Amino acid sequence: MKTALICGVSGQDGAYLAQLLLDRGYQVYGTSRDAQISTFRNLGRLGIRDRIHLLSMAPSDFRSVLQVLTKAQPQEIYNLAGQSSVGLSFDQPVETLESIATGTLNLLEAIRFLGGGIKFYNAGSSECFGDAGHAAADETTPFRPRSPYAVAKAAAFWEVANYREAYGLFACSGILFNHESPLRPQRFVTQKIIAAACRIAQGEATPLELGNISVQRDWGWAPEYVEAMYRMVQQPEADDYVIATGVTISLEDFVAHAFTCVGLNWQDHVISDPTLFRPTDIAVGRANPAKAQRQLGWEAQYQWTDVVRSMVEVQQGLQA
């Protein structure tokens, strides 16, 4: 039986990844900052909370990281921990940098210290690319981060690359474009949209207030994206991969489809509020996932319309 450690197991990706690894016969350890008080709501929703060994770990504290690795003795580590909101990173830049960049560095250094051939996956982000114009970003596209979150993720990416090249570690990064699911908290705009559309369809009069709805993104289905993470770690050699659907649409399109799914015209219920705009934002996020298709045999099956419909259906079930 293989043992995997998921850092940040309580989040959307961590929960789906834990489910995937359990289904493949792994023993799974998962961390959060305080496992004693965390609700692990997502693990509960998937019905797997009691099947995971839960540990407390502070990624920015090397001693804490080393203790967890020593206790879990994993063959694979999936680093999904850290402050995960682009918007919040403007308000908490230091926390964002420490939790992502310092946390990743501590994990890499602990792996190097312990030896033993641990395989390491790092959650990268398409936010690192910044505004690449209308070109589809791939693994060779330069980074131009436009938020503290993106800066932190870019630093973590290069830490992984450095440890892979300097010390021969099996360390890889998945450069994931936006991926959603019903496990998203409502601080993420997609879940905010879905929840509001369903509430309004039930008679609530309060309109949905959003920032810039002209931004364009590549939206995929989170349960498929954790499969890509797993496949990266199973490769004979570590490498980095862009993970995306290859289809880009505007946030306005996402909103319109969500309201269409509940039988409403979005223009009657949505307000674009300039005060909600970010200090800097990415106008267009476009991806070329050809390398993942070619080398991992991974290709997104859910397109953005499937993602919206599935999220609406689950939300309606929760509100019923």
Side-chain angles (χ1 to χ4, degrees):
M1 179 185 291
K2 282 187 177 180
T3 298
L5 173 66
I6 302 174
C7 305
V9 74
S10 61
Q12 167 190 263
D13 291 5
Y16 283 122
L17 179 61
Q19 184 179 54
L20 179 149
L21 293 173
L22 288 169
D23 289 345
R24 283 166 168 74
Y26 278 66
Q27 177 177 229
V28 178
Y29 283 82
T31 74
S32 73
R33 295 198 176 194
D34 191 339
Q36 301 302 315
I37 65 171
S38 179
T39 62
F40 295 103
R41 183 178 61 89
N42 287 336
L43 300 179
R45 287 180 65 177
L46 296 181
I48 59 174
R49 190 186 190 283
D50 295 337
R51 299 174 61 194
I52 296 169
H53 305 279
L54 299 169
L55 301 171
S56 299
M57 187 183 82
S60 58
D61 179 353
F62 180 75
R63 182 172 177 271
S64 174
V65 171
L66 191 60
Q67 284 179 329
V68 167
L69 267 62
T70 302
K71 183 170 184 177
Q73 295 288 305
Q75 285 86 48
E76 299 173 5
I77 297 175
Y78 296 84
N79 178 30
L80 314 180
Q83 198 289 105
S84 60
S85 168
V86 175
L88 185 60
S89 75
F90 287 99
D91 297 324
Q92 299 181 3
V94 176
E95 155 66 14
T96 300
L97 187 68
E98 288 181 349
S99 67
I100 295 173
T102 304
T104 301
L105 184 59
N106 280 336
L107 283 162
L108 289 164
E109 187 64 8
I111 292 169
R112 186 175 77 89
F113 178 79
L114 292 172
I118 298 171
K119 291 187 170 184
F120 180 73
Y121 168 83
N122 177 60
S125 172
S126 63
E127 291 287 327
C128 295
F129 293 125
D131 269 319
H134 289 279
D138 63 17
E139 295 78 7
T140 65
T141 302
F143 287 170
R144 297 184 179 88
R146 292 175 59 82
S147 68
Y149 171 82
V151 169
K153 283 292 187 182
F157 175 91
W158 290 116
E159 289 166 1
V160 170
N162 176 246
Y163 271 69
R164 182 171 64 226
E165 295 167 4
Y167 304 115
L169 299 189
F170 187 106
C172 59
S173 290
I175 310 172
L176 274 59
F177 278 68
N178 298 63
H179 49 290
E180 313 298 328
S181 81
L183 298 188
R184 272 290 196 217
Q186 286 197 25
R187 71 174 184 270
F188 286 84
V189 67
T190 49
Q191 189 71 301
K192 177 181 177 181
I193 292 164
I194 299 297
C198 292
R199 286 198 307 269
I200 293 169
Q202 288 188 328
E204 184 178 297
T206 306
L208 169 61
E209 295 184 356
L210 296 172
N212 184 3
I213 61 173
S214 68
V215 295
Q216 298 178 38
R217 298 290 185 271
D218 183 316
W219 275 289
W221 184 236
E224 292 186 330
Y225 283 45
V226 300
E227 171 69 29
M229 299 176 190
Y230 173 76
R231 293 192 188 188
M232 285 182 219
V233 175
Q234 310 315 309
Q235 296 302 297
E237 294 184 4
D239 205 349
D240 307 316
Y241 298 88
V242 165
I243 304 299
T245 70
V247 176
T248 294
I249 55 106
S250 69
L251 184 61
E252 181 179 321
D253 291 332
F254 193 104
V255 172
H257 193 60
F259 277 82
T260 297
C261 287
V262 297
L264 297 174
N265 180 355
W266 72 275
Q267 293 173 315
D268 297 331
H269 304 283
V270 178
I271 298 171
S272 182
D273 183 355
T275 65
L276 297 177
F277 284 32
R278 293 170 181 164
T280 55
D281 208 346
I282 299 170
V284 180
R286 203 176 301 279
N288 176 9
K291 181 179 175 182
Q293 295 169 5
R294 184 174 64 254
Q295 295 188 16
L296 302 178
W298 182 92
E299 187 171 3
Q301 301 303 308
Y302 272 60
Q303 294 301 317
W304 71 272
T305 50
D306 304 312
V307 173
V308 174
R309 186 185 66 255
S310 296
M311 292 177 71
V312 167
E313 289 172 353
V314 171
Q315 186 65 34
Q316 287 175 325
L318 294 173
Q319 293 180 354

